[in-house]
Amino acid sequence: MKRLIWMGCWAYLLIGLAHVVVGSIMPNLLEHYGKEYTAGGSLIFAQFAGFLVGVLVSPLLISNFGKRTGLIIATGMLCIAEVCYTMLLPWEWMYVVGTVAGFGFGMIEAVIGTLIIVAVKEGTAVAMSKLEVFFGVGALVMPLIAGWLIRTEMWRFSFLFIALSALLMLLAWMKSDFGELNDLLNAKEAKREKKGTLLAQYQGVRGLLLAVFTIFFFLYVGTEMSFVNFLPSLLIEKLGTDKSTAALSVTLFWMAMTLGRVFCGVIAERISYGRYVLWSCAASLVLISLFAITGQLSVIFVLILLFGLFMSGLFSIALVFASKLLPGAEESTPSILIAAGGTGGAALPLAMGKSMDVVGADTSAWMLSAFVALLLILSISAILIERFRAKRIAEA
């Protein structure tokens, strides 16, 4: 079991690296190709479109090949895509490469999440929090590596680093022995239940709650990816920051995200999931609004750290919160919400890139504030809907 959990942590570390690499070197990449921010947003859109397809297609591949083979396929696709990124192919081909890369780490995330939920019977939340911590470590380390490579004029090898890491993981999945869990890894899934059963899980108030959380995850992942991928560009446009320092700002953000994820589970258990999500959204709104109006680099770095700290647990705690509010649908709800997040991660950075070109960095920062404001409204809505449902049950 420990081997499986650590392999899952390694996989999430790899996903963290792959998620942020494009944003870490975005200014250099666009300068090399002579493109504007809209093109950068389109590349991120292609990557997260692939992510969404990877999440949605993973059950089909697993049902035909098993979880281990599915992970080998996904990791291999990610490895090949990162090698192609390193080659700096013609720009039109980069969209195809981004889609393949997104498919790879999207499927890895979906399969690993399912594996942990199914295999870990006790302490599932602790195991999932470990995965999120390693995702944060990967997202933290990648901009640091990219910043060093930018200084040495070898920024393209940021992609090669991920390719080599994926190759090592590919070999590990092929060779590792997981003992009694080998059957789980190699087994093919049984046939899906009828569609009517899935629809029955989300009738009435449950359906409304699912809709609220679907929009929440769409906005959360889209906001996070827009902020992370365009943070260096925002600092360059707002303050004239040099490229290597701008890239390191992403490391600060993920440092705070990683630290926050170590403690978010304990805090959420003490104050309740709903309150944690609500207050995190409220604090994040204040911080991103201050980020939009501040013009001093040192202050902005502090705001980035605090913003990452309060955003850190929103994904995992909101996922647990939604699952608790929708008992009996624990297997389907996470997949739906992760897919919604992938959609947001594809669509909102596309809008962010267009906004950067048309209205500039200052207005684009306020657009991020608007997204976080909607997250706060949705978190309040989920709590009110649940209280209304509890009141009706009590009256009945």
Side-chain angles (χ1 to χ4, degrees):
M1 183 64 70
K2 289 184 178 180
R3 178 173 294 182
L4 177 62
I5 293 175
W6 283 113
M7 282 292 289
C9 291
W10 184 9
Y12 265 60
L13 176 69
L14 180 63
I15 295 169
L17 295 170
H19 260 282
V20 303
V21 64
V22 173
S24 298
I25 60 172
M26 178 73 77
N28 299 78
L29 193 64
L30 296 180
E31 182 180 344
H32 173 81
Y33 283 99
K35 299 293 182 180
E36 296 182 337
Y37 291 118
T38 300
S42 298
L43 181 59
I44 296 169
F45 176 87
Q47 187 164 278
F48 273 86
F51 172 90
L52 177 61
V53 174
V55 171
L56 296 176
V57 171
S58 60
L60 178 63
L61 290 177
I62 289 173
S63 65
N64 285 282
F65 301 106
K67 293 181 177 65
R68 187 199 294 263
T69 304
L71 285 168
I72 291 171
I73 293 171
T75 309
M77 292 179 69
L78 179 60
C79 180
I80 293 170
E82 297 298 330
V83 171
C84 293
Y85 265 144
T86 308
M87 296 168 64
L88 297 179
L89 300 175
W91 181 255
E92 291 73 19
W93 282 98
M94 296 294 272
Y95 294 129
V96 178
V97 174
T99 303
V100 175
F103 182 96
F105 64 71
M107 183 172 175
I108 292 171
E109 181 173 343
V111 177
I112 291 296
T114 302
L115 265 175
I116 296 300
I117 291 172
V118 172
V120 181
K121 303 301 184 183
E122 296 181 3
T124 307
V126 175
M128 290 298 293
S129 66
K130 286 182 180 178
L131 300 186
E132 288 292 322
V133 168
F134 274 81
F135 178 95
V137 170
L140 185 157
V141 169
M142 190 68 254
L144 192 64
I145 295 171
W148 177 74
L149 290 173
I150 287 170
R151 287 192 179 92
T152 58
E153 298 295 329
M154 295 188 297
W155 52 268
R156 67 158 70 181
F157 294 111
S158 302
F159 297 119
L160 186 60
F161 176 80
I162 299 174
L164 294 174
S165 301
L167 179 60
L168 290 174
M169 171 158 285
L170 175 65
L171 296 174
W173 280 118
M174 293 175 66
K175 302 295 183 180
S176 294
D177 181 11
F178 295 92
E180 61 184 13
L181 294 176
N182 283 329
D183 292 338
L184 175 63
L185 284 164
N186 298 324
K188 300 176 182 180
E189 287 190 350
K191 292 183 179 180
R192 297 275 174 180
E193 295 181 0
K194 294 180 180 180
K195 292 183 179 179
T197 304
L198 180 63
L199 293 175
Q201 294 177 343
Y202 303 110
Q203 294 291 326
V205 175
R206 291 169 64 90
L208 183 58
L209 282 170
L210 179 67
V212 168
F213 280 108
T214 299
I215 300 171
F216 184 96
F217 275 81
F218 174 90
L219 287 169
Y220 171 78
V221 178
T223 301
E224 181 185 294
M225 289 299 102
S226 295
F227 185 76
V228 167
N229 284 291
F230 286 96
L231 180 56
S233 301
L234 283 168
L235 295 185
I236 291 171
E237 290 291 319
K238 280 171 64 70
L239 307 176
T241 310
D242 64 89
K243 292 177 183 177
S244 58
T245 302
L248 290 175
S249 66
V250 184
T251 297
L252 290 178
F253 177 77
W254 283 111
M255 186 184 300
M257 289 282 278
T258 303
L259 179 63
R261 286 171 175 174
V262 173
F263 303 104
C264 66
V266 177
I267 296 172
E269 291 288 349
R270 289 184 178 179
I271 68 174
S272 84
Y273 302 132
R275 288 177 180 173
Y276 181 92
V277 172
L278 175 64
W279 289 112
S280 292
C281 290
S284 297
L285 176 58
V286 172
L287 292 166
I288 194 63
S289 299
L290 291 173
F291 174 88
I293 63 177
T294 302
Q296 188 174 347
L297 184 61
S298 58
V299 176
I300 280 185
F301 278 166
V302 172
L303 292 174
I304 290 170
L305 284 168
L306 292 174
F307 185 61
L309 197 62
F310 281 99
M311 289 280 281
S312 61
L314 272 178
F315 186 92
S316 57
I317 302 304
L319 196 61
V320 175
F321 185 37
S323 298
K324 295 295 183 181
L325 294 184
L326 298 167
E330 291 85 358
E331 293 187 5
S332 55
T333 299
S335 297
I336 294 171
L337 299 183
I338 290 173
T343 306
L348 296 193
L350 186 65
M352 185 71 178
K354 187 68 175 178
S355 176
M356 288 284 289
D357 284 332
V358 175
V359 296
D362 290 330
T363 304
S364 298
W366 280 112
M367 185 173 72
L368 291 175
S369 298
F371 293 155
V372 179
L374 290 173
L375 288 177
L376 177 59
I377 293 171
L378 289 167
S379 64
I380 294 172
S381 300
I383 293 172
L384 291 177
I385 292 169
E386 173 55 20
R387 288 180 178 177
F388 172 75
R389 183 173 67 173
K391 184 179 180 181
R392 283 181 54 187
I393 293 174
E395 289 175 349

